[in-house]
Amino acid sequence: MKDNTEINKLNETVIKGGYCVGCGVCATVKNSPFEVKFDEFAKLQATIKEGASLEDDVEVLKLCPFSDESENEDEIGKGLFGDTNVKHDKLGYINSTYAGHVDEESFRDNGSSGGMGSWVLTELLRQNLVDGIIHVKPSEGDVLFKYTISRTTEEISQGSSSRYYPIEMSEVISLIKEKAGRYAIVGLPCFIKSIRLLAKQDAVINERIKFCIGLVCGHLKSAHFGSMWGWQLGVHPDDLEKINFRHKLDNNNASKYGVSVLSKDDDNEIISPPLNELYGANWGWGFFKYQACDYCDDVVGETADISIGDAWLPEYVKDSKGTNVIVVRDKTISRLIEKARVEKKLHFDEITPEKVVQSQSSGFNHRREGLAYRLQLKDKNNEWRPEKRVSPNADHLSKKIQLRQELRMDLANQSHVAFQEALKNGQFSLFKNRMNSIVKVYEQTYKITLLRKVFNRLKKTLNKI
Ligand SMILES: Cc1cc2nc3c(=O)[nH]c(=O)nc-3n(C[C@H](O)[C@H](O)[C@H](O)COP(=O)(O)OP(=O)(O)OC[C@H]3O[C@@H](n4cnc5c(N)ncnc54)[C@H](O)[C@@H]3O)c2cc1C
Ligand code: SF4
Ligand code: SF4
């Protein structure tokens, strides 16, 4: 038995270790034994096809975003933008940074945030810079969403909004290989990294993918995230036909959005109240998170030509219509943006890179200070984990914040199991009760911090007297 093949290594480290994000790139290589399938917890994961051999010499390690043999975001970014852009330690090689929204047509109304995602895709098509857009749209059949190619502005518009749902790229990569053309692809940071890695190995992909549009990313969810909302709105997971994860609600802060769902046997869309009035809205709890996301250090998509997220900043969040943060790296996209600003199609303010970081402060805390601690835990237990740009450490965190990090991992792990149990028993309350036992302890770690904050403030005031 040959156990030193790349296939075997990827399987033993990334896949069995739980670091696979299901991007599907390893399944696209000739003779690859991998396919991407839903696991028992409704996450897409690479797995060995039935009867396939692990002994073939198929090169996959340089393609996987979580393998130790692939280039990291700094190396990829330097190769792409190192000659023209300035390096920022959290945003990669940057050209310009903005906050704002689209002031043209219905991009903003239809988008999750300020509508920039669909606008930049549409503009690339309108300016004849690409022939097709690869993005994630609602799908009929077994899955609610999948990667699809749009070739008209109407088709692009049908893809607006954020899909907090498992997706993979192997099928769409085969389509790009089959049909010549110039494409732009939208993806989460690790998906864009996979595409950049694939383009280094595959001349056809390198030639055809002209632009990579990155979405800022907190973490990816299993398909049960959507089921959790539907179930609370009276639609059993088996009957969930459609979901919009970002339904804007007038007269609320942009962060207080709802979801809308459609049941298979009812034509009436159900719109939720702000999600904080339902159970499970706190992203910090990390319900249904992929484990890979706890070992990721790219928040904004550092290898993308442009990164697009939400401006979670006090000066913008009050506007329920939504505002984007934007990091531009590619010169062509930069020119499109500047022209559209002059034509008043984009209402953009230039902001500092630090403001962009501030807009994602929780994401950066989790994937810098928090990640260092999680890496240290893995090393202490002598378990394999991917090489990261963050060094393992525990000393920088108080015991309480270390506990918070461990509880976050527990919350994510238990959410998968507890939801499955709730499904088996047909009772959503089982999920809620089981999760609440950890949530309560987790929330205590914040309460103590708040007390300490009050105490510190009091101390400061007393010192001034
Ligand atoms: C899993 C996930 C986590 C996110 N986490 C954060 C976060 O922590 N902080 C933050 O500021 N922003 C985050 N975002 C990005 C945010 O939700 C918006 O997508 C972004 O602000 C763009 O909004 P828009 O109105 O400009 O784009 P829109 O006009 O709504 O266009 C969005 C485009 O992205 C495509 N798309 C949607 N979902 C996916 C997907 N899963 N994979 C690939 N393409 C997709 C759509 O097809 C569409 O073309 C996340 C997005 C996702 C999918
Ligand atoms: S992360 Fe992507 S490339 Fe790596 S094992 Fe999973 S599907 Fe394959
Ligand atoms: S958190 Fe990181 S690993 Fe997880 S989906 Fe987002 S970019 Fe990928």
Side-chain angles (χ1 to χ4, degrees), residues 272-324:
S272 76
L275 289 183
N276 60 338
E277 293 177 25
L278 300 183
Y279 185 71
N282 186 335
W283 274 72
W285 295 354
F287 284 2
F288 310 110
K289 175 168 47 178
Y290 279 53
Q291 188 197 283
C293 302
D294 271 342
Y295 297 87
C296 164
D297 57 20
D298 182 3
V299 176
V300 296
E302 298 175 34
T303 66
D305 293 309
I306 178 172
S307 300
I308 305 173
D310 287 287
W312 300 134
L313 292 165
E315 53 272 50
Y316 296 105
V317 80
K318 287 193 188 90
D319 188 342
S320 62
K321 293 194 198 81
T323 307
N324 289 119

Side-chain angles (χ1 to χ4, degrees), residues 136-154:
V136 175
K137 290 168 79 173
S139 157
E140 315 231 305
D142 295 349
V143 292
L144 294 181
F145 300 99
K146 65 191 274 196
Y147 264 104
T148 325
I149 304 182
S150 289
R151 295 187 184 275
T152 65
T153 54
E154 290 74 26

